[in-house]
Amino acid sequence: MTLKTTLKLSVAAASLAVLAGCASTSALEEVRMTAESAQADAAEARSMASQAMNTANQAQRDARAAMQMSEQNREEMNRMFQRSMQK
């Protein structure tokens, strides 16, 4: 091989290496963007789950209050019935 041919092959190899590096950088950027999107989706899902948990907790508190009121009403009705039976 002559010096000129060796130099041409070296330039071609360097060009391919640069292009391969750009492709790798592009692929890495795409992967990074996908990962950031996944993180954003996960944060949104976490937020929605937290809201759902808060809603469920409020519903449970409301159900307990309704149950307590129901028990109080039943006791009052029983007392009223007892009084009516004593007369």
Side-chain angles (χ1 to χ4, degrees):
M1 278 191 180
T2 64
L3 182 63
K4 191 173 185 180
T5 306
T6 306
L7 187 59
K8 285 181 183 178
L9 288 175
S10 297
V11 168
S15 296
L16 286 175
V18 167
L19 290 176
C22 290
S24 296
T25 302
S26 173
L28 287 176
E29 182 65 22
E30 186 177 334
V31 168
R32 185 187 64 77
M33 289 175 65
T34 302
E36 287 176 354
S37 176
Q39 284 179 330
D41 290 346
E44 183 180 357
R46 190 177 301 121
S47 174
M48 291 172 70
S50 178
Q51 289 175 352
M53 182 64 85
N54 290 339
T55 301
N57 287 338
Q58 182 62 44
Q60 188 174 27
R61 285 190 296 271
D62 291 347
R64 284 183 182 150
M67 181 67 106
Q68 186 178 16
M69 188 176 289
S70 173
E71 290 290 326
Q72 289 172 350
N73 287 340
R74 186 170 58 100
E75 289 173 11
E76 181 64 29
M77 294 292 284
N78 283 339
R79 283 194 297 267
M80 289 172 61
F81 179 73
Q82 294 279 335
R83 285 185 209 137
S84 70
M85 295 303 284
Q86 288 177 354
K87 293 184 179 182

